[in-house]
Amino acid sequence: MSKPSARRARIAVLISGAGSNMAALIDAADHVDAPFEVVLVLSNRPDAGGLTVARTKGVAAAVVDHRPFGKDRAAHEQAVQSVLEDHAVEVVALAGYMRLLTPWLVQRWEGRMLNIHPSLLPKYPGLDTHARALAAGDAEAGCSVHLVTEGVDDGPLLGQSRVPVLPDDTPASLAQRVLAAEHALYPRVLADFCRNR
């Protein structure tokens, strides 16, 4: 008689675009020993390509469009929080979610919200990370998974993956290689995080 597997953590992935990291997390959750399951993909953009990907993979997909809320970010986040609660979400994974979060939402998910960022933090928080790495003449770039705090990309690091910078790299070519590293790093770090919760 096989031993029953431990209950899996219920994950929501928040996206704003194509959702390639989201897809990597969903695929990783398909493994029989995965300590998490993706129960919801949520986007602030109705046209986000990742929503279709999620539905194709059999995962519930929801939209909380930020535009009707105007500049009231707290009201938008309250609507997001309501959807997360409806799906009994336990851990939130940000994957290309292009919204600055308010302290209201960050505090509710303190210690349970992860983000992946395309640089070797603390270097290059924010945007244009690959162009900044090239402009600085860095020998390597990479990606980081960290816990989300109220500062931008400054929460405690959970894991990093390094990618060499090649002599003929452009921001686009470097971004492509870093993205491949992200797809390997994020599922591994999320799995470790869920096992150790």
Side-chain angles (χ1 to χ4, degrees):
M1 190 169 158
S2 64
K3 179 182 166 189
S5 59
R7 195 182 67 79
R8 303 198 296 165
R10 295 174 62 83
I11 308 294
V13 185
L14 273 54
I15 64 169
S16 294
S20 66
N21 271 306
M22 168 215 74
L25 293 177
I26 292 173
D27 290 346
D30 282 342
H31 290 278
V32 67
D33 60 345
F36 64 87
E37 59 180 325
V38 178
V39 298
L40 173 69
V41 170
L42 186 147
S43 180
N44 64 305
R45 299 178 57 93
D47 60 349
L51 293 168
T52 302
V53 174
R55 292 183 185 115
T56 300
K57 292 178 177 289
V59 175
V63 177
V64 182
D65 191 342
H66 65 277
R67 291 171 298 185
F69 294 90
K71 293 184 177 176
D72 193 346
R73 290 194 297 145
H76 175 253
E77 289 181 357
Q78 286 164 14
V80 168
Q81 176 68 15
S82 179
V83 177
L84 296 175
E85 290 173 0
D86 287 346
H87 288 81
V89 170
E90 296 170 306
V91 177
V92 173
L94 305 180
Y97 189 64
M98 304 306 286
R99 298 279 296 167
L100 286 176
L101 301 179
T102 71
W104 185 88
L105 191 65
V106 171
Q107 287 168 10
R108 267 155 187 74
W109 290 94
E110 184 178 1
R112 297 184 298 143
M113 181 182 280
L114 287 67
N115 183 48
I116 188 153
H117 181 74
S119 80
L120 295 172
L121 293 171
K123 280 188 169 183
Y124 316 127
L127 302 175
D128 302 319
T129 58
H130 307 300
R132 290 156 70 193
L134 292 173
D138 290 352
E140 61 182 6
C143 51
S144 306
V145 177
H146 64 94
L147 287 174
V148 175
T149 56
E150 291 179 33
V152 176
D153 299 324
D154 72 349
L157 288 173
L158 300 176
Q160 290 186 314
S161 183
R162 296 173 183 274
V163 172
V165 175
L166 304 179
D168 58 350
D169 259 332
T170 63
S173 66
L174 181 57
Q176 196 169 15
R177 291 203 321 285
V178 170
L179 188 61
E182 291 177 36
H183 294 165
L185 178 69
Y186 209 176
R188 188 171 74 242
V189 171
L190 180 60
D192 288 344
F193 178 81
C194 291
R195 284 190 191 101
N196 296 325
R197 279 184 72 217

